[in-house]
Amino acid sequence: AAIRHARGLDLEVIGAYHSHPSSPPTPSLADLHESIPGDFLYVILGRDPGGTSSSRAWQIVDGNFVPVPLVTI
């Protein structure tokens, strides 16, 4: 709904983020089923096996998530 609202205001939505609080920041099957085709960027925050917080970015290519480099500036 938020994406439709933003697009209705003629804003370009380039991505979204969400968290996996108790698992790595890797897309799940649910993420894939809810994905939006195109150049949409998905940033997932999660926990690595050692418990360290981390984030990773993904895009859909040919129906599958592929990692996208995330650069902090």
Side-chain angles (χ1 to χ4, degrees), residues 19-25 44-56:
S19 65
H20 291 183
S22 57
S23 63
I44 303 175
L45 311 172
R47 297 214 178 267
D48 288 326
T52 304
S53 296
S54 64
S55 57
R56 292 195 186 100

Side-chain angles (χ1 to χ4, degrees), residues 4-73:
R4 283 191 296 276
H5 177 71
R7 288 180 177 158
L9 296 173
D10 205 28
L11 298 173
E12 183 179 6
V13 179
I14 62 167
Y17 73 94
H18 71 279
S19 65
H20 291 183
S22 57
S23 63
T26 305
S28 66
L29 283 177
D31 294 331
L32 184 59
H33 291 299
E34 296 174 5
S35 64
I36 298 170
D39 292 332
F40 204 76
L41 182 68
Y42 299 86
V43 176
I44 303 175
L45 311 172
R47 297 214 178 267
D48 288 326
T52 304
S53 296
S54 64
S55 57
R56 292 195 186 100
W58 307 85
Q59 280 188 315
I60 300 285
V61 176
D62 296 326
N64 295 301
F65 279 105
V66 294
V68 175
L70 200 70
V71 179
T72 304
I73 55 171

